[in-house]
Amino acid sequence: MIILMLALLGLCFGSFVNALAWRLRHKRDFVKERSECTHCHHVLAWYDLVPVLSWLTLGGKCRYCKKSIEDSPLTEIAVAIAFVVSYISWPFGYDAVGVSLLSVWLLIVVLLAGLLLYDLRWMLLPDVLNLPLIGLGIIWAVTYQLGVLHHDVFRTVLEIGLGCMSVAGIYGALYAVSKGEWIGFGDVKLGLFIGSVLGWQRGLIAVLLANIMAFLVVLPGLATGKINKRSRIPFGPFLIVATYIALLFGEQLVRWWVDFVFSA
């Protein structure tokens, strides 16, 4: 029952992510304004907004102008899967602290999905999503450090600071050296969030994973000539996916790596 509820909740939040990204891009109010077709701007009825089902019944086209719906149901499905996998694989327990961390994490997942979608479409990590993520990341980290690891305040501040410096420091250095050519400043801010939530160890795992995934995606494009040295590739999505993996499966990845190294 919990998994079903989280899946339905994830579908609804995925629909919200689609609307959020578009409205932020076009400087529209994502709280008060009602959803509309991005082509004809007809205000959509509730039955036009049922996650996945409305898209399927309409054949992916607007009921009113018959043009293709820009928002993909894949976003809704992806957020639903992310919710369910987070619950099933949650490594911090299901006591009061663990459930509190999971609740904050699911909210973080929604913002990360919005950030990922925005960066994929417009190659930008906007502050309106990045800054709340940093705030939520600090809340999550403080709760984790005090409630799960039982660190004192000094150790908590130290661990969060080290995490932020390790991840944001790497991308800050790349940004400074390249003068913004290799990486955007939005990635540096995202690094602050990643470092606060993951700490320096899992944070570096996320950095490694992100670079491996980017390499695997970019390499075929370079080989076929579809991507060249001047092509712009959004790096935020790789960082976001890597962060998700590192938080849920970081300890297993570390153990696997250690076993692999010492058994080689």
Side-chain angles (χ1 to χ4, degrees):
M1 183 61 69
I2 294 176
I3 290 174
L4 178 60
M5 290 176 61
L6 285 174
L8 294 175
L9 192 63
L11 288 173
C12 293
F13 273 110
S15 180
F16 168 75
V17 165
N18 276 326
L20 175 66
W22 186 87
R23 293 184 190 187
L24 288 178
R25 179 63 179 178
H26 295 87
K27 296 180 171 46
R28 303 287 292 271
D29 191 327
F30 61 87
V31 177
K32 296 180 181 179
E33 293 188 23
R34 293 182 59 187
S35 296
E36 61 182 42
C37 172
T38 57
H39 298 291
C40 66
H41 302 289
H42 191 289
V43 175
L44 302 178
W46 67 267
Y47 45 79
D48 297 319
L49 300 171
V50 180
V52 181
L53 290 179
S54 291
W55 191 92
L56 290 174
T57 56
L58 293 172
K61 295 182 179 181
C62 172
R63 184 188 304 274
Y64 308 99
C65 68
K66 307 305 179 184
K67 292 185 178 179
S68 296
I69 298 172
E70 290 186 4
D71 294 339
S72 171
L74 293 178
T75 303
E76 301 166 350
I77 295 171
V79 175
I81 292 173
F83 272 32
V84 171
V85 173
S86 293
Y87 172 73
I88 294 174
S89 307
W90 193 241
F92 308 111
Y94 299 98
D95 58 7
V97 175
V99 171
S100 297
L101 286 172
L102 178 60
S103 300
V104 177
W105 172 247
L106 293 181
L107 181 56
I108 286 172
V109 166
V110 174
L111 293 182
L112 285 176
L115 204 60
L116 186 153
L117 183 60
Y118 200 102
D119 200 23
L120 276 178
R121 287 184 176 179
W122 300 293
M123 295 191 181
L124 184 68
L125 298 171
D127 285 348
V128 69
L129 293 176
N130 247 336
L131 297 182
L133 269 173
I134 294 172
L136 284 174
I138 292 174
I139 292 172
W140 193 96
V142 170
T143 305
Y144 171 69
Q145 294 286 336
L146 296 177
V148 176
L149 300 181
H150 304 294
H151 288 162
D152 57 29
V153 175
F154 176 78
R155 180 72 180 277
T156 295
V157 173
L158 179 63
E159 291 289 341
I160 294 174
L162 286 174
C164 290
M165 287 189 293
S166 65
V167 181
I170 292 173
Y171 293 116
L174 290 173
Y175 178 83
V177 170
S178 68
K179 297 180 180 179
E181 291 293 325
W182 298 344
I183 202 163
F185 198 63
D187 297 295
V188 181
K189 297 173 186 175
L190 182 58
L192 290 174
F193 159 77
I194 294 171
S196 66
V197 170
L198 297 183
W200 71 269
Q201 293 173 311
R202 281 186 293 187
L204 294 180
I205 291 174
V207 171
L208 178 61
L209 281 175
N211 282 277
I212 291 174
M213 288 189 291
F215 175 77
L216 293 176
V217 169
V218 170
L219 185 61
L222 290 173
T224 57
K226 295 181 179 180
I227 298 176
N228 56 51
K229 293 181 179 180
R230 295 185 178 181
S231 299
R232 294 183 62 196
I233 308 295
F235 190 64
F238 299 110
L239 272 176
I240 290 168
V241 173
T243 298
Y244 182 87
I245 295 172
L247 183 108
L248 295 179
F249 309 106
E251 292 186 10
Q252 294 95 312
L253 289 172
V254 170
R255 285 198 298 268
W256 174 83
W257 177 251
V258 170
D259 291 341
F260 174 78
V261 170
F262 284 98
S263 63

